[in-house]
């Protein structure tokens, strides 16, 4: 009985990253007043008859919302209804900055702000704007290139901002998604995708949006005609020469996976292999080495540019010196122009940094796709659910997933076609490689340069996603597909060592959740197959104690489950009573003191497993006064369910907790009968 079975998370887009420093007034009250005044002043400027003033106000709001505490003040002043009409402003630059302000507002404000935007009817002007963009895509304007010598294509740049707003609100709000379907917005998004040879920024935004709106959206399937599917296929089959293209292909592969029901039955195997080929190619790349290569390339480019600028400056100085024949002037000018030339070149285009970032995002997206491939299609919730496997429905499911050879295969989660394709492309091996800590040299390089520091979190995010992915693969695949018994034993040592190897990890709670989830799935698999564990009980206990202080409920739930799995195995082995006592006390501590009823229930579930039967378990139960401890816990547990249940927990979780409550009563009766 293991409470806290994990469902795959649907990972959300990253938040907006502020790019400018934020100055804070000395007093909080003064700060709030200042921000409120600033917000009110900017919203007034949106009504100005002068387009330059309206554009300035939109751009200022874009920056202001990076300070999230300002957002309520803007919403109270009806900022959304003020910005909405400007999406259709006569001035194209105002349209672009208004869409940019709404994009940042929806990203920084999160789901609640997106809901508010839909309530205040942002979809009407947004859809109208996208239709106008669609009509203007085929104009003779040149593509928007970030160069002073190239004309600006406002249509594509406006569309890029608008698509991002559309993506945000559709991800957050079902009504927005319904409007997307009804108004055939998919046609505009597909039209944006066709620009992949000229405007990759727009295309990647469109690909993110399309992957989001096609997930669990059967009403949209009919909107994908043959030309639309051909566009997706063309992108998948294009040779990827840049990391931007690899990211685009990964996102489009995710869309094709979401649209698999739209693909003819005879082509589905081919499509699945095409998807996994893209994911395998992305995961094949060594991101640590690539970061190092890109930093070296950036350094070489900067040195070459500086040398070229210095040569040009020297030539100009020499020409001036020849004309003036004044050495002193020449010497002063050399120093001045060298300095000016270097710093003019120093703000780099960040092309190498961009390529490294695209690769890491592509790998993270690829791993998230594999997570979704290897989990239930149940659309009821897109967050991690805490469920119990101790009720009859789960037991029936466990019987259903046994195939003829006694191997764990889920007909809901992993079809024979997916299983075969994952193995053909060596996906389990590639995922395992990504679970290792990032390249130390790459991390050091990123630490030394401010612009590259954000890559540190991205490098670790790939590892976290790989660990989550590993959890699902372990839960779904048979032992031989995972490399056999010895491979699983080595993997258990690898996972346990991860916790003790490194402490300076960004988002450590997220890391602990991922690694504990993977280890839990591995130990469940090994225990069900009778495979001896390489981890000592002491190591297991230390691992779980490292998870105890986590603020993440899933991490603590995983910890009690790991103890339950290990303890139930130990209970069948001689001379293990001492370790069982220690495990029992840890579980009792969780059951009595954890702030989450889910964790309390998981700890009780684990206690039922560990002390169900066996001489060693009986000895340990007597030593820790288990019967008396559970009798003391019982009324408190029942009371917490009554008081907190409906307020804090879902219906599914309440059913599980009620099941644990029933099992607790039965287990106490069982212990009493053993006296």
């Amino acid at each position: 009985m293991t409470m806290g079975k994990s469902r795959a998370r649907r990972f959300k887009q990253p938040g907006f990253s502020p790019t400018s420093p934020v100055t804070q007034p000395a007093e909080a009250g003064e700060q709030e007043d200042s921000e409120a005044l600033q917000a009110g002043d900017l919203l007034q400027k949106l009504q100005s008859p002068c387009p330059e003033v309206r554009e300035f106000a939109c751009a200022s709001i874009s920056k202001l919302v990076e300070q999230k505490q300002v957002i309520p003040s803007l919403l109270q002043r009806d900022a959304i209804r003020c910005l909405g009409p400007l999406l259709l402003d006569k001035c194209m630059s105002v349209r672009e900055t208004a869409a940019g302000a709404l994009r940042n507002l929806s990203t920084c404000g999160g789901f609640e702000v997106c809901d508010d935007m839909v309530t205040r009817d942002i979809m009407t002007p947004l859809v109208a704007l996208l239709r106008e963009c669609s009509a203007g895509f085929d104009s003779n304007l040149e593509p928007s290139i970030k160069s002073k010598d190239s004309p600006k294509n406002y249509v594509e740049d406006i569309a890029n901002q608008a698509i991002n707003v559309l993506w945000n609100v559709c991800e957050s709000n079902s009504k927005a998604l319904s409007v997307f379907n009804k108004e055939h917005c998919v046609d505009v998004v597909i039209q944006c995708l066709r620009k992949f040879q000229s405007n990759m920024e727009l295309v990647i935004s469109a690909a993110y949006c399309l992957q989001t709106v096609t997930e669990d959206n059967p009403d949209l399937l009919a909107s994908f005609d043959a030309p639309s599917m051909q566009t997706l296929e063309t992108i998948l089959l294009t040779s990827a020469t840049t990391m931007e293209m690899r990211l685009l292909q990964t996102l489009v592969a995710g869309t094709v996976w979401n649209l698999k029901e739209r693909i003819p039955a005879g082509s589905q195997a081919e499509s699945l292999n095409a998807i996994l080929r893209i994911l395998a190619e992305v995961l094949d790349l060594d991101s640590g080495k690539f970061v190092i290569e890109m930093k070296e390339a950036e350094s070489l480019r900067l040195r070459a540019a500086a040398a070229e600028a210095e040569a040009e400056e020297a030539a100009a100085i020499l020409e001036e010196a020849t004309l003036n024949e004044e050495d002193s002037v020449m010497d002063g000018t050399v120093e001045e122009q060298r300095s000016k030339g270097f710093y003019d070149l120093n703000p780099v285009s960040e092309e190498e940094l961009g390529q490294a970032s695209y690769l890491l995002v592509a790998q993270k997206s690829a791993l998230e796709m594999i997570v979704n491939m290897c989990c239930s299609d149940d659309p009821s919730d897109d967050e991690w659910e805490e469920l119990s496997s101790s009720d009859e429905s789960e037991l029936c499911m466990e019987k259903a997933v046994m195939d003829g050879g006694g191997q764990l295969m889920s007909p809901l989660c992993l079809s024979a076609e997916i299983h075969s394709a994952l193995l053909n492309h060596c996906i389990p091996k590639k995922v395992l490689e990504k679970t290792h800590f990032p390249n130390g040299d790459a991390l050091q390089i990123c630490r030394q340069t401010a612009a590259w520091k954000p890559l540190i979190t991205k490098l670790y995010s790939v590892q976290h996603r790989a660990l989550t992915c590993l959890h699902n693969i372990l839960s779904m695949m048979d032992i031989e597909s995972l490399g056999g018994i010895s491979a699983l034993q080595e993997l258990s040592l690898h996972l346990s060592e991860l916790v003790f190897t490194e402490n300076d990890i960004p988002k450590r709670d997220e890391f602990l959740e991922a690694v504990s989830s993977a280890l839990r799935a591995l130990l469940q698999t090994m225990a069900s197959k009778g495979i001896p564990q390489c981890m000592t009980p002491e190591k297991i206990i230390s691992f779980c104690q490292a998870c105890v202080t986590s603020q993440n409920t899933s991490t603590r739930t995983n910890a009690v489950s790991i103890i339950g799995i290990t303890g139930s195995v130990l209970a069948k082995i001689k001379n293990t009573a001492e370790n069982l006592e220690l495990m029992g006390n840890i579980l009792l501590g969780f059951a009595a003191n954890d702030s989450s009823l889910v964790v309390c229930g998981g700890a009780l579930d684990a206690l039922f497993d560990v002390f169900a039967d066996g001489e060693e378990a009986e000895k340990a139960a007597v030593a820790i006064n288990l019967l008396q401890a559970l009798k003391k816990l019982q009324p408190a547990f029942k009371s917490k369910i009554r008081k907190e249940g409906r307020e804090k927990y879902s219906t599914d979780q309440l059913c599980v907790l009620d099941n644990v409550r029933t099992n607790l009563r039965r287990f106490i009766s069982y212990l009493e009968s053993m006296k």
Side-chain angles (χ1 to χ4, degrees):
M1 294 176 285
T2 53
M3 186 167 179
K5 178 177 178 178
S6 302
R7 286 185 185 162
R9 168 187 293 150
R10 294 178 188 173
F11 301 98
K12 301 297 181 183
Q13 63 174 329
F16 180 80
S17 299
T19 55
S20 60
V22 177
T23 55
Q24 301 290 345
E27 298 292 335
E30 292 176 14
Q31 179 181 356
E32 290 174 8
D33 292 342
S34 171
E35 289 162 352
L37 287 171
Q38 188 179 4
D41 182 52
L42 290 173
L43 292 176
Q44 267 193 323
K45 284 183 168 63
L46 293 178
Q47 313 304 319
S48 170
C50 176
E52 288 81 6
V53 174
R54 297 197 299 276
E55 182 181 355
F56 167 79
C58 289
S60 299
I61 290 170
S62 291
K63 298 300 294 180
L64 188 62
V65 297
E66 295 169 17
Q67 305 171 54
K68 293 186 180 181
Q69 68 272 17
V70 180
I71 292 176
S73 181
L74 284 166
L75 296 180
Q76 286 167 10
R77 289 169 168 78
D78 217 1
I80 293 166
R81 284 206 170 99
C82 293
L83 286 165
L86 297 185
L87 292 176
L88 301 171
D89 197 276
K90 292 180 181 179
C91 176
M92 298 292 274
S93 61
V94 173
R95 290 187 179 196
E96 183 182 4
T97 50
L102 287 165
R103 171 186 179 174
N104 289 3
L105 183 61
S106 61
T107 306
C108 295
F111 295 160
E112 290 183 5
V113 170
C114 288
D115 285 341
D116 195 42
M117 290 172 73
V118 175
T119 300
R120 295 174 189 272
D121 197 28
I122 197 63
M123 292 300 288
T124 297
L126 183 60
V127 170
L129 173 62
L130 287 167
R131 283 180 176 156
E132 288 196 20
C133 288
S134 176
F137 275 142
D138 296 327
S139 63
N140 293 322
L141 288 172
E142 293 183 26
S144 176
I145 302 174
K146 296 187 183 301
S147 167
K148 295 177 183 177
D149 303 323
S150 299
K152 181 177 176 65
N153 188 329
Y154 272 114
V155 174
E156 291 186 8
D157 290 351
I158 290 168
N160 181 44
Q161 300 294 351
I163 288 290
N164 274 277
V165 178
L166 186 67
W167 168 24
N168 285 349
V169 295
C170 286
E171 185 175 48
S172 306
N173 186 279
S174 59
K175 183 181 177 183
L177 193 60
S178 296
V179 173
F180 182 99
N181 295 343
K182 182 181 176 182
E183 300 295 336
H184 302 285
C185 294
V186 70
D187 296 338
V188 184
V189 180
I190 291 289
Q191 203 174 354
C192 292
L193 277 183
R194 294 186 178 124
K195 302 284 183 182
F196 72 91
Q197 292 181 328
S198 61
N199 190 337
M200 194 60 85
E201 184 178 358
L202 169 64
V203 174
I204 287 177
S205 296
Y208 267 120
C209 182
L210 194 61
Q211 186 186 32
T212 296
V213 298
T214 53
E215 188 172 12
D216 297 328
N217 187 4
D219 295 339
L220 190 62
L221 291 178
S223 300
F224 281 84
D225 53 15
S228 298
M229 298 303 290
Q230 183 63 46
T231 298
L232 301 180
E233 184 181 350
T234 300
I235 292 172
L236 289 182
L237 295 177
T238 300
S239 177
T241 57
T242 66
M243 294 306 160
E244 290 164 294
M245 192 64 197
R246 290 199 181 277
L247 173 58
L248 174 61
Q249 289 181 329
T250 303
L251 296 171
V252 170
T255 297
V256 174
W257 169 257
N258 292 340
L259 297 171
K260 54 187 178 293
E261 293 178 25
R262 189 72 179 80
I263 300 169
S267 303
Q268 287 198 356
E270 183 182 353
S271 298
L272 179 60
N273 273 295
I275 290 170
L276 284 168
R277 174 184 58 79
I278 295 290
L279 304 187
E281 288 176 358
V282 167
L283 294 177
D284 261 337
L285 298 169
D286 187 323
S287 54
K289 287 183 179 178
F290 188 73
V291 166
I292 295 169
E293 289 170 5
M294 287 297 98
K295 194 67 180 73
E296 290 174 350
E298 181 191 71
S299 299
L300 288 172
R301 179 172 59 82
L302 288 176
R303 283 200 295 269
E308 182 181 347
E310 189 173 330
E312 290 175 358
E313 290 158 8
I317 293 163
L318 182 60
E319 183 180 351
E320 184 179 348
T322 302
L323 292 172
N324 296 334
E325 295 182 350
E326 293 180 14
D327 290 343
S328 59
V329 172
M330 181 189 71
D331 290 343
T333 307
V334 168
E335 190 62 34
E336 179 185 347
Q337 291 193 352
R338 275 181 182 171
S339 175
K340 183 175 183 293
F342 177 77
Y343 286 107
D344 282 350
L345 288 164
N346 206 26
V348 292
S349 62
E350 297 184 346
E351 57 192 62
E352 296 87 2
L353 173 59
Q355 290 297 303
S357 183
Y358 282 128
L359 172 59
L360 292 170
V361 175
Q363 290 188 338
K364 184 167 73 74
S365 299
L367 290 163
E368 289 167 3
M369 270 194 66
I370 297 166
V371 165
N372 291 334
M373 285 182 175
C374 298
C375 72
S376 169
D377 291 330
D378 183 359
S380 62
D381 202 331
D382 61 2
E383 298 297 330
W384 291 63
E385 291 268 334
E386 307 302 336
L387 301 177
S388 172
S389 63
S390 56
D391 58 14
E392 290 185 1
S393 61
E394 286 252 340
L395 291 173
C396 290
M397 187 199 74
E398 288 178 4
K399 292 175 184 175
V401 301
M402 291 290 181
D403 70 8
Q407 296 174 332
L408 278 171
M409 291 284 292
S410 170
L412 291 173
C413 304
L414 205 57
S415 68
E417 291 81 7
I418 296 174
H419 182 269
S420 176
L422 288 170
L423 292 181
N424 288 343
H425 291 280
C426 303
I427 295 297
K429 180 183 176 184
K430 296 179 195 300
V431 169
L432 180 56
E433 288 169 354
K434 298 302 178 191
T435 65
H436 291 269
F437 281 114
N439 183 305
D441 292 336
L443 290 173
Q444 188 59 28
I445 283 172
C446 294
R447 291 187 187 107
Q448 292 171 350
T449 309
W452 288 66
K453 279 185 178 179
L455 291 191
I456 295 173
T457 301
K458 288 184 170 69
L459 283 161
Y460 277 106
S461 290
V462 170
Q463 183 198 26
H464 297 171
R465 296 300 185 265
L467 287 163
T468 302
C469 192
L470 181 62
H471 162 267
N472 283 26
I473 288 174
L474 286 165
S475 300
M476 295 300 109
M477 285 194 161
D478 56 88
I479 294 171
E480 293 310 313
S481 298
L482 297 168
I485 292 174
S486 60
L488 294 183
Q489 290 175 327
E490 288 175 16
L491 180 56
S492 69
L493 292 175
H494 164 61
L495 293 176
S496 65
E497 287 303 321
L498 285 178
V499 175
F500 305 112
T501 303
E502 199 168 329
N503 288 316
D504 186 21
I505 302 172
K507 300 183 179 179
R508 184 164 177 81
D509 271 0
E510 182 182 332
F511 164 74
L512 284 174
E513 178 186 6
V515 71
S516 62
S517 181
L519 182 60
R520 171 185 171 179
L522 175 62
L523 294 180
Q524 281 175 334
T525 298
M526 295 175 74
S528 69
K529 299 299 179 182
I531 299 172
Q533 296 178 14
C534 291
M535 293 176 66
T536 64
E538 292 79 13
K539 196 85 167 177
I540 288 284
I541 290 168
S542 296
F543 179 98
C544 294
Q545 286 175 333
C547 300
V548 167
T549 57
S550 172
Q551 297 300 307
N552 188 296
T553 302
S554 292
T555 301
R556 303 196 306 278
T557 305
N558 287 334
V560 297
S561 181
I562 287 168
I563 292 175
I565 295 164
T566 306
S568 63
V569 172
L570 285 179
K572 300 176 178 65
I573 302 171
K574 291 288 187 183
N575 301 319
T576 57
E578 189 174 338
N579 282 318
L580 293 176
E581 288 176 30
L582 185 54
M583 291 179 173
N585 281 323
I586 292 173
L587 292 173
L588 284 171
F590 272 109
N593 303 316
D594 199 275
S595 58
S596 168
L597 268 175
V598 168
V599 180
C600 296
L604 288 169
D605 231 352
L607 282 164
F608 306 155
D609 280 344
V610 175
F611 295 97
D613 56 60
E615 290 183 13
E616 298 298 318
E618 288 178 23
K619 290 179 193 175
V622 171
I624 64 173
N625 294 316
L626 181 61
L627 176 59
Q628 290 77 6
L630 291 179
K631 281 184 173 181
K632 185 177 178 181
L633 275 170
Q634 187 179 28
F637 184 68
K638 289 169 63 177
S639 175
K640 285 183 77 173
I641 292 176
R642 281 198 307 271
K643 291 179 180 177
E644 302 176 14
R646 296 188 182 281
E647 183 181 336
K648 294 184 178 180
Y649 302 97
S650 68
T651 303
D652 282 343
Q653 288 171 328
L654 282 174
C655 288
V656 171
L657 290 168
D658 189 60
N659 187 60
V660 173
R661 179 185 58 77
T662 301
N663 287 342
L664 175 57
R665 187 187 71 246
R666 292 172 180 170
F667 193 69
I668 288 173
S669 297
Y670 161 74
L671 290 177
E672 286 176 333
S673 71
M674 298 296 292
K675 291 175 66 176

